[in-house]
Amino acid sequence: MVTRDELLTLYEQMAVIRRTEKAAHDLFLSGLVKGTTHLAAGHEAIAVGASAALRDDDYVFATYRGHHHALARGATPEECLAELMSRATGLCGAKGGSMHLTKASKGMLGSYAIVGAHLPMAVGAAWSARLRGTDQLAVAFFGDGATNIGAFHEALNLAAVWKLPVLFVCENNLYMEYTAIADVTAVPRPAADRAPAHGIPGDVVDGNDVVLVQEAVDRLARRARAGDGPAVLEAETYRHYGHSRTDPAAYRPPEEVERWLKHDPLDVARGRLAELGVTAAEMTAADERATALVRAAVEAAKAAPAPDPAEALTDVWADGGAAWRN
């Protein structure tokens, strides 16, 4: 059972992510973020709750909507915003941008722009843990749209055949880009309902409740580490912005948007905190710390230098070999 202090820490982490996403949105509108961005405001409880149930040496793979996972795994707001702004101090030295945030030292093995492509990669990471005799876990986070991609089924099948320590966490925000997932999928739960076909459990959780997410991931992680194989967790959530920067999300019914905004992950956590005896002043203080941290991160990222052009061809496998070409 989560304690009041633990939950307050999780709440502050979610507050930092929410403010970082807002900063990314504002920086784009001011012309300081180039290219597209896919914001994860509304998804914070999934990243924070899951990360709280994982170990530091576990592996995480995310989609192009992956800012929240990078931050939850230990990347700083400054590193992430500097990357979005193409600064030398960015998480990937300005080589990745919004869709490829990576921090291998924290087990964040990347966010990937190709839908579903990282699911087999997570299986490979779990297989490597098996070969090395560790009890590390690999976790792949993906959207509901990826469940209609062949790689989803290929990854689940191989993970089940080999009983690998990998979790597949679907962030079901009801829409695959601009299309309702229910309109193009034969089952109500696009991830959880398909898991039994591969002989593995498929659970569903309220993805806007950080405590329930933590408990679900903890339970499935312990199961995987014990050698009982993979599992699917479908976390129901809702994005506060459109699919990407160019999407006003006008296709979503107003009453649906209103209903989900009333179930905001931060509000859910605040309700739980109040039940645990945390005062409004303590929550406000956490909000203020998050605001100050992100405000300082924005200014530091703005002041950071542009990348050195001489670094452009480093960190690549230009020769097709296995050795880094630096």
Side-chain angles (χ1 to χ4, degrees), residues 1 17 32 108 123 133 135 143 164 173-174 222 224 233 243 281 285:
M1 182 66 180
I17 293 172
L32 291 175
M108 175 62 185
V123 173
D135 63 346
L164 295 177
N173 60 28
L174 309 187
R222 284 187 281 106
L233 179 65
H243 168 67

Side-chain angles (χ1 to χ4, degrees), residues 23-24 31 43 64 67 70 113 119 126 143 191 193 204 209 221 227 241 260 266 299 304 309 314 320:
H43 288 222
Y64 49 74
H67 303 166
L119 301 181
D193 285 351
V204 179
D209 189 325
Y241 294 93
W260 275 97
L266 273 69
E299 295 308 313
T314 61

Side-chain angles (χ1 to χ4, degrees), residues 2-315:
V2 66
T3 68
R4 68 184 303 279
D5 290 340
E6 289 170 340
L7 183 54
L8 189 58
T9 297
L10 299 183
Y11 173 77
E12 189 167 336
Q13 290 176 342
M14 291 195 292
V16 167
I17 293 172
R18 176 67 59 85
R19 285 155 176 77
T20 302
E21 295 287 75
K22 179 63 165 59
H25 178 262
D26 293 344
L27 289 167
F28 169 77
L29 292 180
S30 66
L32 291 175
V33 172
K34 309 298 183 184
T36 193
T37 54
H38 302 82
L39 301 180
H43 288 222
E44 297 91 351
I46 300 172
V48 171
S51 188
L54 299 177
R55 296 192 327 217
D56 290 343
D57 64 341
D58 288 331
Y59 302 123
V60 166
F61 297 80
T63 72
Y64 49 74
R65 197 182 310 280
H67 303 166
H68 52 325
H69 294 296
L71 290 162
R73 291 304 284 171
T76 67
E78 181 182 342
E79 289 175 318
C80 292
L81 292 173
E83 184 64 28
L84 269 62
M85 295 167 65
S86 301
R87 304 297 201 227
T89 56
L91 197 56
C92 300
K95 295 178 180 179
S98 175
M99 293 194 285
H100 300 288
L101 298 180
T102 303
K103 187 155 188 168
S105 63
K106 297 291 187 178
M108 175 62 185
L109 299 190
S111 42
Y112 298 85
I114 305 302
V115 175
H118 62 298
L119 301 181
M121 296 171 65
V123 173
W127 177 238
S128 79
R130 170 75 57 78
L131 289 177
R132 289 179 287 108
T134 73
D135 63 346
Q136 290 167 286
L137 194 70
V139 185
F141 295 91
F142 55 99
D144 45 277
T147 64
N148 287 338
I149 298 293
F152 168 76
H153 299 281
E154 294 168 1
L156 264 63
N157 179 68
L158 194 57
V161 169
W162 289 346
K163 294 189 69 174
L164 295 177
V166 55
L167 301 184
F168 300 96
V169 181
C170 176
E171 299 183 51
N172 184 354
N173 60 28
L174 309 187
Y175 291 89
M176 41 186 300
E177 292 197 22
Y178 322 115
T179 303
I181 187 69
D183 291 346
V184 293
T185 307
V187 292
R189 311 288 188 185
D193 285 351
R194 287 158 158 166
H198 297 283
I200 62 179
D203 294 354
V204 179
V205 68
D206 180 355
N208 284 11
D209 189 325
V210 68
V211 173
L212 295 182
V213 172
Q214 180 183 9
E215 291 174 348
V217 173
D218 178 68
R219 172 172 46 81
L220 295 176
R222 284 187 281 106
R223 176 183 177 277
R225 293 191 210 280
D228 292 331
V232 169
L233 179 65
E234 186 166 333
E236 297 174 320
T237 188
Y238 203 76
R239 50 179 160 81
H240 289 187
Y241 294 93
H243 168 67
S244 66
R245 65 176 179 82
T246 59
D247 175 24
Y251 46 82
R252 301 193 299 189
E255 61 275 12
E256 176 188 279
V257 175
E258 181 181 6
R259 182 173 69 254
W260 275 97
L261 290 181
K262 289 180 179 178
H263 192 55
D264 186 301
L266 273 69
D267 291 339
V268 173
R270 288 178 73 96
R272 282 189 174 274
L273 285 167
E275 292 174 357
L276 291 174
V278 177
T279 66
E282 289 177 287
M283 294 183 230
T284 298
D287 287 328
E288 291 174 348
R289 288 191 297 270
T291 297
L293 176 65
V294 175
R295 184 179 294 124
V298 169
E299 295 308 313
K302 284 182 178 179
D308 183 350
E311 296 291 316
L313 297 181
T314 61
D315 305 321

